[in-house]
Amino acid sequence: MQQLENRDNESEYSLTPHVIRNDFPVFRQRIHGKPFIYLDNAASTQNPTSVIERVKKYYEEEHSNVHRGVHTLSQRATESFEKSREVVRSFLNAKSTKEIIFVRGTTEAINLVAKTYGKQILSAGDEILISGLEHHSNIVPWQILCNETGARLKVIPINKKGELILDELPKLLTNRTRLLAVVHISNALGTINPIEYLIKEAHKKGIPVLVDGAQSAPHIPIDVQKLDCDFFAFSGHKLYGPTGIGILYAKEHLLESMPPFQGGGDMIKSVTFEKTIYNDLPFKFEAGTPNVSGAIGLAEAINYITRIGMDTIAVFEKTLVHYATKRLLECNDVRIIGESKEKGGVISFLVGDVHPHDIGTILDEEGIAVRTGHHCAQPVMQFFGIPATARVSFGIYNTKEDVDHLIEGLKKIKKVFN
Amino acid sequence: MEKLSELYQEIILDHNKNPKNFKRLEHPTHTAEGYNPLCGDHYILDLYVENGKIIDIGFSGKGCAISKSSASLMTSCIKGDSIEEAKNLFEQFRLMLKEENISGFIGKKAKITVLRGVKAFPTRIKCATLIWHTLKSALEGNTKTTTE
Ligand SMILES: Cc1ncc(COP(=O)(O)O)c(C=O)c1O
């Protein structure tokens, strides 16, 4: 089997999904007797052999608690864990590893910010600004916080194409706005938000910005210094890595100013019953034994995709989305929900009046995995007046043939429901 | 494709397209809302019960082919039944989706067995039972049901 990691000519590598597919053992199986076509990458991506092997190696040779022991394995585990942090730092181009906090995922990262930073700065009458495209994980933590503090949640509205209505922005960034928390790429519609612009506008008024990068970090290049965002969150399981690991990036001075999230081991320097001195960054925000194997697996996943190149991936996926959009629109009863000019590798659609749940079942019988439902973005569905959509979302191993199979699958749906 | 054609039988697709008892009642004695947050299926079930007998029944709302045809079949099966009979039928229905046991359906009730193909699709069982849970809620005086 030809493995990407064994190719000598890496610099000249351009994305050949048929080759990349071979790096992902999950595609060796058949589903319902058909070749497995995975189009649910916005939910979770698959893991390449290199990630699976790296995690295995950790458990076979390094597994131990981190930051605690003097023995060899504890040193190995600590070294691998901290090396992983450096890999993440470099991936995001953060200034320092102090700014990289290991968390469970995007959800935990946002909750961390809400419970620490948010709680500290918000008073009654203050405002948190989000957008009409948010995943529930960038809505609910702020709602909870607003209930606790008497602050108000404001929303940047969207238009029929699924784009933010930017004309509303000046009105919504008020002198009571304490934070703008916004999704970079929508998981429900694929809209790529003009994140640089949003950050600039917020910063003009001294308002910090949290970026939900769950759908961007795996698919386009991210430079947190260039973006100048204050917080950035993403999940390992959407970036060809393990579940249960994710990243919160935050500017160092903000992290310094924030109270700790959870209390426990690892986040302290010294504890007496009278007083606890918190540990330095980033450990202050990592109470308890962390997900060591997850962090190591995530770093390996980052190594894998950065070897391909984030620019290459972005261009490749854009081409694939163009192709899929064209093919879908050729089916006369398909309606695409979300027609933003700038779109990532996500397409939400409906087929005639067939319920998305039925679409999902029929495609699954064809070995094609798509997502159906509200995609944890019920306000988006409410805006379009629909309960659910079918959604395809692409990754580095998807091919034009995958799209062709999808279109064939959709024809089956028409046949069943004529 | 066999499993699939078993699931989406002609009769089921017919009920989906032209559901029976697809209406609101004007003066229901019992009403409940059924909601499956996973897929957004959402129905309202109205009953008119007199002397322990379901005199009239209607459902309205939106959902997938399985949940809708199940609602259509259920309402036409239990119209005229006593509450006891309706509850028993729910038990039979559940058994059918668990064990494919269809022996308990007699007479006009047998038509509901077209839904037995759902058993092969575990993720869809909730679609088929949503309206039944809603019925149970309505009869017990609860107004909201969600499947988890
Ligand atoms: C845009 C967006 N934000 C946040 C999340 C939540 O990520 P996680 O479930 O990994 O915490 C997701 C994933 O479903 C997402 O797509």
Side-chain angles (χ1 to χ4, degrees):
Chain A
M1 186 172 303
Q2 192 177 18
Q3 295 255 320
L4 175 61
E5 40 270 11
N6 297 338
R7 297 164 68 94
D8 8 282
N9 221 347
E10 276 169 14
S11 60
E12 276 172 39
Y13 190 79
S14 72
L15 212 166
T16 317
H18 301 84
V19 176
I20 287 182
R21 250 180 112 79
N22 292 333
D23 291 342
F24 290 78
V26 77
F27 294 116
R28 287 178 207 153
Q29 70 191 307
R30 294 169 85 83
I31 299 290
H32 304 305
K34 310 256 167 64
F36 179 36
I37 295 173
Y38 188 71
L39 297 174
D40 193 18
N41 294 285
S44 272
T45 45
Q46 301 298 337
N47 284 217
T49 303
S50 60
V51 170
I52 297 165
E53 289 296 324
R54 182 63 190 89
V55 172
K56 181 163 173 266
K57 179 170 183 289
Y58 165 77
Y59 279 114
E60 287 178 354
E61 298 170 19
E62 301 164 51
H63 174 58
S64 176
N65 212 314
V66 288
H67 305 136
R68 294 188 191 174
V70 292
H71 61 77
T72 306
L73 254 61
S74 176
Q75 286 174 40
R76 274 186 202 160
T78 305
E79 197 178 308
S80 295
F81 184 64
E82 289 308 322
K83 263 192 195 154
S84 304
R85 200 188 303 274
E86 168 54 25
V87 170
V88 176
R89 185 210 63 75
S90 155
F91 176 62
L92 295 176
N93 192 31
K95 268 200 193 116
S96 155
T97 49
K98 288 181 185 170
E99 300 175 319
I100 305 298
I101 316 287
F102 284 116
V103 290
R104 272 200 301 134
T106 308
T107 304
E108 191 173 67
I110 297 171
N111 276 278
L112 187 158
V113 177
K115 295 261 187 250
T116 60
Y117 183 76
K119 196 146 194 182
Q120 181 166 268
I121 55 156
L122 276 198
S123 328
D126 284 345
E127 293 163 8
I128 298 273
L129 184 59
I130 61 171
S131 89
L133 288 172
E134 301 309 316
H135 185 278
H136 295 162
S137 63
N138 202 25
I139 303 174
V140 186
W142 307 116
Q143 263 167 352
I144 293 173
L145 184 63
C146 286
N147 285 338
E148 287 169 359
T149 58
R152 282 183 304 172
L153 193 62
K154 293 284 193 76
V155 183
I156 308 170
I158 59 175
N159 64 23
K160 287 271 181 266
K161 286 182 165 170
E163 300 164 325
L164 298 189
I165 302 177
L166 295 174
D167 291 346
E168 300 282 325
L169 193 62
K171 264 204 323 248
L172 289 164
L173 291 169
T174 72
N175 57 7
R176 296 307 301 263
T177 311
R178 297 287 171 261
L179 181 76
L180 168 62
V182 67
V183 69
H184 195 172
I185 300 182
S186 156
N187 69 303
L189 305 179
T191 311
I192 304 181
N193 282 327
I195 202 74
E196 291 90 349
Y197 174 79
L198 293 168
I199 293 167
K200 269 202 195 92
E201 290 303 301
H203 282 181
K204 273 185 202 162
K205 298 189 176 174
I207 299 162
V209 181
L210 176 145
V211 178
D212 171 353
Q215 299 298 341
S216 61
H219 303 286
I220 59 175
I222 299 293
D223 181 332
V224 289
Q225 290 191 65
K226 210 161 122 201
L227 285 176
D228 198 27
C229 55
D230 302 275
F231 303 95
F232 188 95
F234 71 94
S235 301
H237 68 100
K238 296 183 196 284
L239 195 140
Y240 311 97
T243 53
I245 190 76
I247 298 297
L248 171 67
Y249 157 84
K251 285 180 179 165
E252 188 177 340
H253 73 95
L254 289 169
L255 288 172
E256 287 294 357
S257 76
M258 285 153 56
F261 177 40
Q262 295 171 329
D266 249 8
M267 57 76 72
I268 50 90
K269 255 189 185 148
S270 72
V271 177
T272 66
F273 286 120
E274 287 71 40
K275 188 175 165 59
T276 291
I277 310 226
Y278 301 135
N279 206 340
D280 298 328
L281 293 176
F283 311 110
K284 176 176 144 190
F285 291 98
E286 293 178 356
T289 303
N291 182 355
V292 182
S293 65
I296 292 170
L298 171 58
E300 197 59 39
I302 290 175
N303 287 336
Y304 182 86
I305 58 172
T306 49
R307 267 201 299 272
I308 299 171
M310 294 313 293
D311 287 307
T312 310
I313 290 174
V315 170
F316 166 76
E317 290 180 356
K318 197 168 187 172
T319 315
L320 200 54
V321 167
H322 273 300
Y323 179 71
T325 305
K326 186 178 127 254
R327 291 295 322 263
L328 281 167
L329 289 176
E330 281 165 12
C331 314
N332 51 19
D333 50 355
V334 169
R335 178 180 153 211
I336 292 180
I337 309 292
E339 299 159 296
S340 167
K341 255 191 246 108
E342 294 297 325
K343 229 172 132 168
V346 173
I347 305 175
S348 252
F349 63 95
L350 299 170
V351 181
D353 57 1
V354 181
H355 192 281
H357 220 163
D358 295 313
I359 299 175
T361 293
I362 294 173
L363 290 178
D364 183 59
E365 283 301 301
E366 296 297 310
I368 305 170
V370 305
R371 188 70 154 199
T372 62
H374 52 60
H375 318 298
C376 294
Q378 284 183 355
V380 176
M381 299 296 126
Q382 284 151 15
F383 175 81
F384 286 99
I386 48 179
T389 69
R391 179 189 74 184
V392 293
S393 52
F394 300 103
I396 47 178
Y397 31 63
N398 289 125
T399 61
K400 284 189 173 171
E401 289 82 60
D402 289 350
V403 174
D404 296 339
H405 281 295
L406 170 73
I407 301 295
E408 287 309 306
L410 295 182
K411 286 184 186 151
K412 289 243 163 72
I413 292 168
K414 262 182 93 172
K415 230 201 254 148
V416 172
F417 281 86
N418 49 53
Chain B
M1 200 68 188
E2 215 175 78
K3 232 171 77 187
L4 208 58
S5 43
E6 177 86 354
L7 179 69
Y8 292 112
Q9 293 185 37
E10 215 43 59
I11 309 178
I12 290 180
L13 296 171
D14 272 352
H15 276 276
N16 178 48
K17 232 187 244 163
N18 304 302
K20 303 264 178 352
N21 305 303
F22 195 66
K23 60 180 182 190
R24 295 287 323 245
L25 301 192
E26 261 179 51
H27 303 288
T29 51
H30 302 70
T31 292
E33 217 178 317
Y35 179 52
N36 180 346
L38 216 67
C39 54
D41 287 358
H42 186 209
Y43 295 107
I44 294 172
L45 184 70
D46 291 325
L47 294 151
Y48 185 78
V49 178
E50 216 175 62
N51 300 325
K53 218 171 161 182
I54 300 167
I55 307 291
D56 202 2
I57 186 164
F59 79 102
S60 57
K62 270 188 186 163
C64 65
I66 302 305
S67 62
K68 198 178 221 176
S69 58
S70 181
S72 174
L73 283 157
M74 178 194 85
T75 52
S76 52
C77 272
I78 65 169
K79 196 157 152 179
D81 276 5
S82 71
I83 289 176
E84 243 6 81
E85 285 170 313
K87 282 184 176 165
N88 282 340
L89 195 64
F90 185 16
E91 281 317 306
Q92 298 294 338
F93 189 69
R94 270 210 271 224
L95 220 58
M96 175 182 85
L97 295 182
K98 233 202 238 148
E99 300 166 6
E100 228 162 308
N101 182 344
I102 55 166
S103 58
F105 300 95
I106 28 178
K108 68 164 190 167
K109 309 278 195 269
K111 65 182 167 199
I112 213 161
T113 60
V114 295
L115 281 162
R116 67 179 178 276
V118 177
K119 182 179 174 288
F121 296 84
T123 59
R124 303 305 298 275
I125 287 177
K126 277 178 187 157
C127 307
T129 54
L130 174 62
I131 200 70
W132 286 95
H133 286 290
T134 312
L135 172 71
K136 194 157 169 274
S137 291
L139 293 174
E140 286 167 1
N142 301 321
T143 51
K144 277 216 161 78
T145 314
T146 55
T147 62
E148 283 311 326

